[in-house]
C-alpha cells in the first residue's frame, strides 16, 4: 500500500524539511535511519510525519480504525526524532509486546551498547553507534497483519482510552487488515 503520487511526494518533502531543520551533524544520521526504515518496512506501512516526527504508519486504507488515541490519525508503526540529549527511536511493537522488547534489548546489549529505554522509546545517546541492521531486523520481524493483531490485542479496535502506560485494554475485535504480512 502506498500513497498516491502527490501525497507521497508531500510526505517525502515534509520529512526532508524536518531533517534539513536539524543541526548539520544530525542530518546524516537521520537520512541513514530514514533509508534503513524505508528499506525494511513491511508491506502496507508508509512513511509520513507522525505527530511532527518522521516515521512509518499503517494508513487508514490498511487499518480503517486508526490510532486509538485519535482515530483520525493512522496507526503509528515507528518514528524517530532528536532531543537535546539523544536520538529517540520509537518502535511501537516494543511498546505492545514484551517478548519483542526483550528480544530487541538482548540484541542491543549483545552489540555492547548501553540499554536506555522508556515505554516504547529507545534513547540512543551516541547516534554514531546506532545499529541500523538491528533496526531493520526489528521492522521486518512482524508483518502488518501481525502488528495489527498485536495492537488490537493490547488496545482493541473500538473507541479506546489513550494511556501510553496502561493502554486501553480490550480484546481483538477481528478488524481485518487489507495488507499481507
Amino acid at each position: 500500500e502506498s500513497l498516491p503520487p502527490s501525497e507521497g511526494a508531500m510526505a517525502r518533502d515534509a520529512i526532508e524539511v524536518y531533517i534539513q531543520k536539524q543541526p548539520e551533524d544530525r542530518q546524516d544520521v537521520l537520512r541513514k535511519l530514514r533509508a534503513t526504515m524505508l528499506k525494511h518496512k513491511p508491506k502496507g506501512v508508509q512513511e509520513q510525519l507522525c505527530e511532527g516526527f518522521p516515521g512509518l504508519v499503517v494508513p487508514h486504507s490498511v487499518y480503517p480504525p486508526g490510532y486509538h488515541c485519535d482515530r483520525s490519525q493512522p496507526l503509528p508503526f515507528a518514528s524517530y526524532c532528536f532531543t537535546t540529549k539523544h536520538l529517540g527511536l520509537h518502535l511501537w511493537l516494543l511498546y505492545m509486546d514484551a517478548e519483542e522488547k526483550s528480544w530487541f534489548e538482548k540484541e542491543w546489549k549483545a552489540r555492547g551498547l548501553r540499554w536506555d529505554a522508556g515505554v516504547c522509546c529507545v534513547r540512543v545517546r551516541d547516534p554514531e553507534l546506532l545499529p541500523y541492521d538491528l533496526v531493520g531486523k526489528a521492522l521486518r520481524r512482524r508483518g502488518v497483519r501481525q502488528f495489527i493483531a498485536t495492537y488490537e490485542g493490547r488496545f482493541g479496535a473500538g473507541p479506546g482510552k489513550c494511556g501510553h502506560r496502561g493502554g486501553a485494554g480490550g480484546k481483538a475485535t477481528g478488524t481485518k487488515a487489507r495488507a499481507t504480512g
Side-chain angles (χ1 to χ4, degrees), residues 16-28:
E16 185 55 33
V17 167
Y18 172 88
I19 292 171
Q20 289 174 0
K21 287 182 178 180
Q22 301 303 308
E24 273 190 50
D25 63 327
R26 295 178 171 185
Q27 292 180 20
D28 287 341

Side-chain angles (χ1 to χ4, degrees), residues 94 100-110 115 134:
L94 304 184
E100 287 296 311
K101 187 170 187 174
S102 177
W103 168 82
F104 193 82
E105 180 179 354
K106 181 180 173 186
E107 291 290 321
W108 186 273
K109 288 178 176 178
W115 180 250
L134 179 58

Side-chain angles (χ1 to χ4, degrees), residues 37-60:
M37 289 184 145
L38 289 174
K39 179 180 179 180
H40 297 286
K41 71 180 181 66
K43 183 178 179 183
V45 171
Q46 69 187 29
E47 179 184 46
Q48 77 173 51
L49 289 177
C50 308
E51 298 182 9
F53 303 116
L56 302 172
V57 299
V58 180
H60 285 104

